[in-house]
Amino acid sequence: QVRLVESGGGLVQAGGSLRLSCAASGSFFRINDMGWYRQTPGKQRDLVARISSGDITTYADSVNGRFTISRDYAKRTVDLQMNSLNAEDTAVYYCNAWIRVRGWSSTPDEYWGQGTQVTVSS
C-alpha cells in the first residue's frame, strides 16, 4: 500500500522558517510529479509548489522566491523549505504525488498525505 507521510509542520513567528518533508512508502514502480498543496478552512486546496521527475519546479506566485521545493529520488522524499513566512501562509499543507504502481504501462495514480498544520503568528 502506497502512503505519503508528512512531517515538519508547527508554529512559527512571522519572518521565520520551516521545512516540511514528505516520504513515500510502500511498493511501487516510479514516482512522477511530487508537490505541496495547502488549504485553509472553507477554501479549496491550492498548489504551493510542484517538482517533476525531471526536476522542473513550479511555484504559486504568492510563495515564489520564499519557498523552495526539492526531492531525493533515492529516499523517495520531497521537501518544502519555507522562508520569510507570514500569516497568510497559515494552512494545512498536503503532500501530493503521482505514482506508477505497476510499471510503465500503468497509469499514474494520485496520492495525498494526511496533512500537516503550519501556523504563522504575527
Side-chain angles (χ1 to χ4, degrees):
Q1 183 178 0
V2 178
R3 291 184 63 205
L4 299 178
V5 179
E6 301 116 334
S7 61
L11 174 65
V12 64
Q13 288 188 332
S17 298
L18 277 177
R19 188 176 184 89
L20 304 182
S21 185
C22 171
S25 64
S27 179
F28 53 85
F29 174 67
R30 176 188 172 91
I31 304 175
N32 287 1
D33 290 8
M34 302 187 82
W36 289 92
Y37 288 71
R38 65 187 181 188
Q39 188 173 26
T40 55
K43 295 191 176 181
Q44 68 180 18
R45 192 173 296 184
D46 291 327
L47 174 70
V48 176
R50 181 173 57 228
I51 184 167
S52 74
S53 56
D55 291 333
I56 296 172
T57 57
T58 303
Y59 294 95
D61 289 343
S62 60
V63 307
N64 200 15
R66 299 187 297 123
F67 291 10
T68 302
I69 189 170
S70 60
R71 62 190 291 179
D72 186 316
Y73 291 87
K75 295 181 180 178
R76 306 193 296 186
T77 59
V78 61
D79 290 351
L80 185 68
Q81 177 65 42
M82 305 185 293
N83 299 327
S84 302
L85 287 160
N86 57 59
E88 287 68 41
D89 296 317
T90 295
V92 177
Y93 284 69
Y94 295 90
C95 178
N96 172 271
W98 288 86
I99 298 175
R100 293 181 188 270
V101 175
R102 289 177 292 277
W104 287 109
S105 62
S106 64
T107 301
D109 294 318
E110 186 174 31
Y111 293 87
W112 293 93
Q114 80 284 359
T116 185
Q117 177 70 46
V118 172
T119 303
V120 184
S121 63
S122 57

mmCIF file of all heavy atoms in Angstrom, residues 85-107:
data_model
loop_
_atom_site.group_PDB
_atom_site.id
_atom_site.type_symbol
_atom_site.label_atom_id
_atom_site.label_comp_id
_atom_site.label_asym_id
_atom_site.label_seq_id
_atom_site.Cartn_x
_atom_site.Cartn_y
_atom_site.Cartn_z
ATOM 1 N N LEU A 85 8.166 33.512 6.306
ATOM 2 C CA LEU A 85 6.757 33.151 6.453
ATOM 3 C C LEU A 85 5.936 34.320 6.985
ATOM 4 O O LEU A 85 6.425 35.145 7.770
ATOM 5 C CB LEU A 85 6.625 31.951 7.390
ATOM 6 C CG LEU A 85 7.067 30.616 6.783
ATOM 7 C CD1 LEU A 85 7.375 29.598 7.874
ATOM 8 C CD2 LEU A 85 5.994 30.090 5.850
ATOM 9 N N ASN A 86 4.702 34.394 6.531
ATOM 10 C CA ASN A 86 3.774 35.415 7.023
ATOM 11 C C ASN A 86 2.440 34.758 7.373
ATOM 12 O O ASN A 86 2.225 33.559 7.096
ATOM 13 C CB ASN A 86 3.609 36.536 5.990
ATOM 14 C CG ASN A 86 3.133 36.027 4.640
ATOM 15 O OD1 ASN A 86 2.063 35.414 4.543
ATOM 16 N ND2 ASN A 86 3.906 36.274 3.598
ATOM 17 N N ALA A 87 1.564 35.524 7.949
ATOM 18 C CA ALA A 87 0.304 34.974 8.452
ATOM 19 C C ALA A 87 -0.522 34.328 7.339
ATOM 20 O O ALA A 87 -1.270 33.373 7.592
ATOM 21 C CB ALA A 87 -0.507 36.065 9.142
ATOM 22 N N GLU A 88 -0.384 34.833 6.124
ATOM 23 C CA GLU A 88 -1.156 34.284 5.005
ATOM 24 C C GLU A 88 -0.682 32.884 4.606
ATOM 25 O O GLU A 88 -1.351 32.200 3.826
ATOM 26 C CB GLU A 88 -1.078 35.208 3.792
ATOM 27 C CG GLU A 88 -1.874 36.501 3.910
ATOM 28 C CD GLU A 88 -1.302 37.441 4.946
ATOM 29 O OE1 GLU A 88 -0.050 37.569 5.021
ATOM 30 O OE2 GLU A 88 -2.092 38.039 5.708
ATOM 31 N N ASP A 89 0.446 32.448 5.132
ATOM 32 C CA ASP A 89 0.938 31.096 4.857
ATOM 33 C C ASP A 89 0.339 30.066 5.815
ATOM 34 O O ASP A 89 0.576 28.862 5.647
ATOM 35 C CB ASP A 89 2.462 31.053 4.961
ATOM 36 C CG ASP A 89 3.146 31.916 3.920
ATOM 37 O OD1 ASP A 89 2.718 31.883 2.746
ATOM 38 O OD2 ASP A 89 4.095 32.632 4.289
ATOM 39 N N THR A 90 -0.395 30.528 6.803
ATOM 40 C CA THR A 90 -1.041 29.607 7.745
ATOM 41 C C THR A 90 -2.052 28.736 7.021
ATOM 42 O O THR A 90 -2.954 29.242 6.346
ATOM 43 C CB THR A 90 -1.739 30.396 8.865
ATOM 44 O OG1 THR A 90 -0.753 31.087 9.628
ATOM 45 C CG2 THR A 90 -2.519 29.458 9.778
ATOM 46 N N ALA A 91 -1.897 27.435 7.145
ATOM 47 C CA ALA A 91 -2.771 26.492 6.446
ATOM 48 C C ALA A 91 -2.379 25.067 6.826
ATOM 49 O O ALA A 91 -1.357 24.856 7.487
ATOM 50 C CB ALA A 91 -2.644 26.662 4.932
ATOM 51 N N VAL A 92 -3.187 24.127 6.390
ATOM 52 C CA VAL A 92 -2.784 22.725 6.421
ATOM 53 C C VAL A 92 -2.096 22.431 5.095
ATOM 54 O O VAL A 92 -2.660 22.704 4.028
ATOM 55 C CB VAL A 92 -3.987 21.789 6.626
ATOM 56 C CG1 VAL A 92 -3.527 20.322 6.584
ATOM 57 C CG2 VAL A 92 -4.683 22.088 7.953
ATOM 58 N N TYR A 93 -0.906 21.886 5.172
ATOM 59 C CA TYR A 93 -0.120 21.603 3.980
ATOM 60 C C TYR A 93 -0.186 20.104 3.682
ATOM 61 O O TYR A 93 0.022 19.271 4.570
ATOM 62 C CB TYR A 93 1.326 22.035 4.187
ATOM 63 C CG TYR A 93 1.494 23.528 4.087
ATOM 64 C CD1 TYR A 93 0.982 24.379 5.060
ATOM 65 C CD2 TYR A 93 2.157 24.110 3.004
ATOM 66 C CE1 TYR A 93 1.113 25.748 4.962
ATOM 67 C CE2 TYR A 93 2.305 25.476 2.898
ATOM 68 C CZ TYR A 93 1.781 26.296 3.872
ATOM 69 O OH TYR A 93 1.913 27.659 3.767
ATOM 70 N N TYR A 94 -0.460 19.786 2.423
ATOM 71 C CA TYR A 94 -0.613 18.401 1.991
ATOM 72 C C TYR A 94 0.446 18.040 0.951
ATOM 73 O O TYR A 94 0.668 18.788 -0.011
ATOM 74 C CB TYR A 94 -1.989 18.173 1.371
ATOM 75 C CG TYR A 94 -3.135 18.333 2.328
ATOM 76 C CD1 TYR A 94 -3.761 19.562 2.513
ATOM 77 C CD2 TYR A 94 -3.603 17.238 3.049
ATOM 78 C CE1 TYR A 94 -4.813 19.706 3.389
ATOM 79 C CE2 TYR A 94 -4.666 17.374 3.926
ATOM 80 C CZ TYR A 94 -5.260 18.606 4.089
ATOM 81 O OH TYR A 94 -6.309 18.741 4.960
ATOM 82 N N CYS A 95 1.041 16.904 1.147
ATOM 83 C CA CYS A 95 1.954 16.344 0.158
ATOM 84 C C CYS A 95 1.138 15.625 -0.912
ATOM 85 O O CYS A 95 0.105 14.992 -0.621
ATOM 86 C CB CYS A 95 2.895 15.362 0.860
ATOM 87 S SG CYS A 95 4.057 14.521 -0.232
ATOM 88 N N ASN A 96 1.615 15.714 -2.137
ATOM 89 C CA ASN A 96 0.914 15.116 -3.273
ATOM 90 C C ASN A 96 1.934 14.418 -4.170
ATOM 91 O O ASN A 96 3.041 14.930 -4.367
ATOM 92 C CB ASN A 96 0.173 16.205 -4.042
ATOM 93 C CG ASN A 96 -0.423 15.710 -5.351
ATOM 94 O OD1 ASN A 96 0.221 15.729 -6.392
ATOM 95 N ND2 ASN A 96 -1.661 15.264 -5.297
ATOM 96 N N ALA A 97 1.543 13.284 -4.723
ATOM 97 C CA ALA A 97 2.429 12.582 -5.641
ATOM 98 C C ALA A 97 1.631 11.769 -6.644
ATOM 99 O O ALA A 97 0.559 11.241 -6.318
ATOM 100 C CB ALA A 97 3.377 11.665 -4.873
ATOM 101 N N TRP A 98 2.155 11.722 -7.857
ATOM 102 C CA TRP A 98 1.600 10.872 -8.904
ATOM 103 C C TRP A 98 2.545 9.693 -9.058
ATOM 104 O O TRP A 98 3.729 9.882 -9.368
ATOM 105 C CB TRP A 98 1.447 11.641 -10.211
ATOM 106 C CG TRP A 98 0.344 12.637 -10.154
ATOM 107 C CD1 TRP A 98 0.408 13.914 -9.695
ATOM 108 C CD2 TRP A 98 -1.015 12.421 -10.551
ATOM 109 N NE1 TRP A 98 -0.817 14.514 -9.784
ATOM 110 C CE2 TRP A 98 -1.715 13.629 -10.312
ATOM 111 C CE3 TRP A 98 -1.702 11.339 -11.098
ATOM 112 C CZ2 TRP A 98 -3.073 13.772 -10.596
ATOM 113 C CZ3 TRP A 98 -3.048 11.477 -11.390
ATOM 114 C CH2 TRP A 98 -3.723 12.685 -11.129
ATOM 115 N N ILE A 99 2.023 8.502 -8.842
ATOM 116 C CA ILE A 99 2.873 7.325 -8.734
ATOM 117 C C ILE A 99 2.393 6.219 -9.663
ATOM 118 O O ILE A 99 1.198 5.889 -9.685
ATOM 119 C CB ILE A 99 2.896 6.810 -7.275
ATOM 120 C CG1 ILE A 99 3.490 7.880 -6.352
ATOM 121 C CG2 ILE A 99 3.684 5.501 -7.176
ATOM 122 C CD1 ILE A 99 3.457 7.514 -4.879
ATOM 123 N N ARG A 100 3.340 5.697 -10.435
ATOM 124 C CA ARG A 100 3.065 4.487 -11.217
ATOM 125 C C ARG A 100 3.339 3.288 -10.312
ATOM 126 O O ARG A 100 4.483 3.065 -9.912
ATOM 127 C CB ARG A 100 3.965 4.408 -12.439
ATOM 128 C CG ARG A 100 3.719 5.473 -13.492
ATOM 129 C CD ARG A 100 4.656 5.278 -14.668
ATOM 130 N NE ARG A 100 4.583 6.380 -15.611
ATOM 131 C CZ ARG A 100 3.755 6.429 -16.635
ATOM 132 N NH1 ARG A 100 2.936 5.415 -16.861
ATOM 133 N NH2 ARG A 100 3.757 7.467 -17.446
ATOM 134 N N VAL A 101 2.315 2.546 -10.045
ATOM 135 C CA VAL A 101 2.476 1.444 -9.102
ATOM 136 C C VAL A 101 3.051 0.203 -9.789
ATOM 137 O O VAL A 101 3.920 -0.473 -9.249
ATOM 138 C CB VAL A 101 1.127 1.122 -8.428
ATOM 139 C CG1 VAL A 101 1.259 -0.108 -7.525
ATOM 140 C CG2 VAL A 101 0.638 2.316 -7.626
ATOM 141 N N ARG A 102 2.599 -0.087 -11.025
ATOM 142 C CA ARG A 102 2.975 -1.361 -11.672
ATOM 143 C C ARG A 102 3.586 -1.121 -13.043
ATOM 144 O O ARG A 102 3.004 -1.462 -14.050
ATOM 145 C CB ARG A 102 1.747 -2.263 -11.784
ATOM 146 C CG ARG A 102 1.256 -2.830 -10.475
ATOM 147 C CD ARG A 102 -0.019 -3.651 -10.680
ATOM 148 N NE ARG A 102 -1.132 -2.815 -11.062
ATOM 149 C CZ ARG A 102 -1.888 -2.140 -10.214
ATOM 150 N NH1 ARG A 102 -1.632 -2.202 -8.922
ATOM 151 N NH2 ARG A 102 -2.903 -1.411 -10.631
ATOM 152 N N GLY A 103 4.764 -0.521 -13.120
ATOM 153 C CA GLY A 103 5.488 -0.454 -14.369
ATOM 154 C C GLY A 103 5.048 0.667 -15.292
ATOM 155 O O GLY A 103 4.084 1.391 -15.036
ATOM 156 N N TRP A 104 5.754 0.805 -16.444
ATOM 157 C CA TRP A 104 5.496 1.886 -17.376
ATOM 158 C C TRP A 104 4.099 1.817 -17.988
ATOM 159 O O TRP A 104 3.547 2.853 -18.392
ATOM 160 C CB TRP A 104 6.534 1.873 -18.495
ATOM 161 C CG TRP A 104 7.882 2.331 -18.060
ATOM 162 C CD1 TRP A 104 9.001 1.575 -17.900
ATOM 163 C CD2 TRP A 104 8.255 3.669 -17.700
ATOM 164 N NE1 TRP A 104 10.045 2.353 -17.472
ATOM 165 C CE2 TRP A 104 9.619 3.640 -17.343
ATOM 166 C CE3 TRP A 104 7.568 4.883 -17.638
ATOM 167 C CZ2 TRP A 104 10.304 4.773 -16.947
ATOM 168 C CZ3 TRP A 104 8.255 6.022 -17.246
ATOM 169 C CH2 TRP A 104 9.605 5.957 -16.903
ATOM 170 N N SER A 105 3.527 0.648 -18.085
ATOM 171 C CA SER A 105 2.219 0.510 -18.721
ATOM 172 C C SER A 105 1.076 0.940 -17.808
ATOM 173 O O SER A 105 -0.060 1.094 -18.264
ATOM 174 C CB SER A 105 1.998 -0.934 -19.166
ATOM 175 O OG SER A 105 2.013 -1.793 -18.042
ATOM 176 N N SER A 106 1.352 1.128 -16.538
ATOM 177 C CA SER A 106 0.281 1.508 -15.616
ATOM 178 C C SER A 106 0.084 3.022 -15.617
ATOM 179 O O SER A 106 1.038 3.781 -15.805
ATOM 180 C CB SER A 106 0.601 1.027 -14.200
ATOM 181 O OG SER A 106 1.761 1.658 -13.695
ATOM 182 N N THR A 107 -1.148 3.430 -15.443
ATOM 183 C CA THR A 107 -1.468 4.855 -15.364
ATOM 184 C C THR A 107 -1.090 5.385 -13.986
ATOM 185 O O THR A 107 -1.387 4.745 -12.982
ATOM 186 C CB THR A 107 -2.966 5.073 -15.593
ATOM 187 O OG1 THR A 107 -3.328 4.558 -16.873
ATOM 188 C CG2 THR A 107 -3.311 6.560 -15.528
#
